[in-house]
Amino acid sequence: MISRVEWFQRVVGLKGGRFRQTGMTGGNIIVGTVLGILSGKYIFEEPLQHYWAEKHAAEAAARSISDNGGGSGPSADSNSK
């Protein structure tokens, strides 16, 4: 019977087990991380640029409306008695 620590190491892949005799290597982690970052940049760069362009345009429009005293009718501050 193996201890809980050894079982956890095998499940996570830190220690070779019945199906994986070599264990996990650091090179695999580094290569996987680099590939994940590059593919994420390639997949999500254009949609994120589009999202932020729309977000900044909406904020600029809201700012210009508030700077011009936008809104109709009296404000809540002018209704105080």
Side-chain angles (χ1 to χ4, degrees):
M1 184 99 187
I2 61 173
S3 70
R4 288 185 179 189
V5 174
E6 287 182 73
W7 175 82
F8 180 75
Q9 288 176 338
R10 285 186 179 169
V11 169
V12 175
L14 297 175
K15 186 173 186 178
R18 186 172 176 187
F19 297 108
R20 183 179 174 95
Q21 297 297 326
T22 59
M24 185 173 284
T25 60
N28 290 342
I29 294 172
I30 293 170
V31 170
T33 302
V34 170
L35 285 174
I37 291 170
L38 292 177
S39 63
K41 180 174 172 40
Y42 177 75
I43 293 169
F44 296 113
E45 183 175 20
E46 185 179 341
L48 281 173
Q49 287 176 349
H50 182 67
Y51 168 79
W52 285 114
E54 286 180 352
K55 185 91 167 165
H56 291 307
E59 288 176 358
R63 198 174 318 118
S64 69
I65 289 172
S66 66
D67 289 345
N68 294 333
S72 59
S75 65
D77 294 334
S78 64
N79 289 335
S80 62
K81 294 181 180 179

